[in-house]
Amino acid sequence: MPFRTHMDAALAEARAAAARGEVPVGAVVVDPAGRAVAQAGNRTREMSDPSAHAEMLALRAACAAAGSERLPGHSLYVTLEPCAMCAQAIAFARIARLYYGAADPKSGGVAHGARVFAHPQAHHRPEIYPGLAEREAAALLRAFFAARR
Amino acid sequence: MPFRTHMDAALAEARAAAARGEVPVGAVVVDPAGRAVAQAGNRTREMSDPSAHAEMLALRAACAAAGSERLPGHSLYVTLEPCAMCAQAIAFARIARLYYGAADPKSGGVAHGARVFAHPQAHHRPEIYPGLAEREAAALLRAFFAARR
């Protein structure tokens, strides 16, 4: 099951982020042949960079490797619903398919709040598949925040 | 007029971006004492990075210099209405005041489209001052796109 393999890699990135003291979110970019070409976990604290979300780091690495601002035909797997920043970056990169795990009513920008892809200003709307490995992704986040309280 | 000084620096960054073949947008981050602490122009093509908007580069540089994901009390000057990606990054960075030049009905995410700051998922809403040096900022963009047609 390639879906599951890629989401497992994203979950592993999320767990590694938690071990670094970062909010546990992970992402993987997959090329049209089904190969993972970049993966990352959240590094906002380590890098002192509010834009260093897992999706942004994975997209930037995949674009740098491709030598292009755009990744047509590529998929992005991420453990949490992207925020408005990441959703707009996904649109700029022309990602074809977005698979995500847990919904994020508090900070999400795909199915909540800004709903970035619902406006023509997004330029591009990927196919969106929510709820993949949702329980595991959400459990990681819950455990992380419970331990910090 | 400090407003004008900082927007002039942003316009200079936009002109430098155009000279590099990039969409002419420039941005400056100003600390609470009124000092410019980071400035950048758009570099998406040069860096093969769809996230390398002027605002993102300036915010990332200012955060790196401050050693923090957040820039409370800071202002951001940018020649064009930020897109949804940059608007959400501005919210994450807790920028206190956003000054921008030209409106962007096609790609903007502040006064158009996703209207990122209008949703609680933005976490933070800066004071917003649109229309600063609007004519110059818009003229730069028009000249750039006219030359490419």
Side-chain angles (χ1 to χ4, degrees), chain A residues 22 44-45 47-51 53 56 59-60 63-64 67-70 83-86 88-89 92-93 104-109 112-116 119-123, chain B residues 22 44-45 47-51 53 56 59-60 63-64 67-70 83-86 88-89 92-93 104-109 112-116 119-123:
Chain A
E22 304 272 1
T44 56
R45 289 173 197 191
M47 300 175 75
S48 295
D49 180 352
S51 81
H53 284 192
M56 298 290 277
L59 285 173
R60 291 173 58 204
C63 284
S68 170
E69 294 170 62
R70 297 187 181 179
C83 72
M85 174 182 73
C86 293
Q88 182 65 61
F92 286 138
D104 190 356
K106 185 160 165 263
S107 303
H112 298 91
R115 290 178 171 79
V116 165
H119 307 282
Q121 285 82 354
H123 299 301
Chain B
E22 304 273 359
T44 57
R45 288 172 198 193
M47 299 175 77
S48 296
D49 180 352
S51 81
H53 284 193
M56 298 290 276
L59 284 173
R60 290 172 59 203
C63 285
S68 170
E69 296 170 58
R70 297 188 180 177
C83 72
M85 174 182 73
C86 294
Q88 182 63 61
F92 285 138
D104 190 355
K106 185 158 165 266
S107 301
H112 298 90
R115 289 177 172 79
V116 164
H119 306 283
Q121 285 82 354
H123 300 300

Side-chain angles (χ1 to χ4, degrees), chain A residues 9-65:
Chain A
L11 286 164
E13 288 286 348
R15 280 188 291 269
R20 294 190 301 267
E22 304 272 1
V23 175
V25 181
V28 177
V29 176
V30 176
D31 76 9
R35 285 177 299 243
V37 291
Q39 59 186 68
N42 185 25
R43 290 187 185 269
T44 56
R45 289 173 197 191
E46 175 191 329
M47 300 175 75
S48 295
D49 180 352
S51 81
H53 284 192
E55 303 94 309
M56 298 290 277
L57 296 176
L59 285 173
R60 291 173 58 204
C63 284

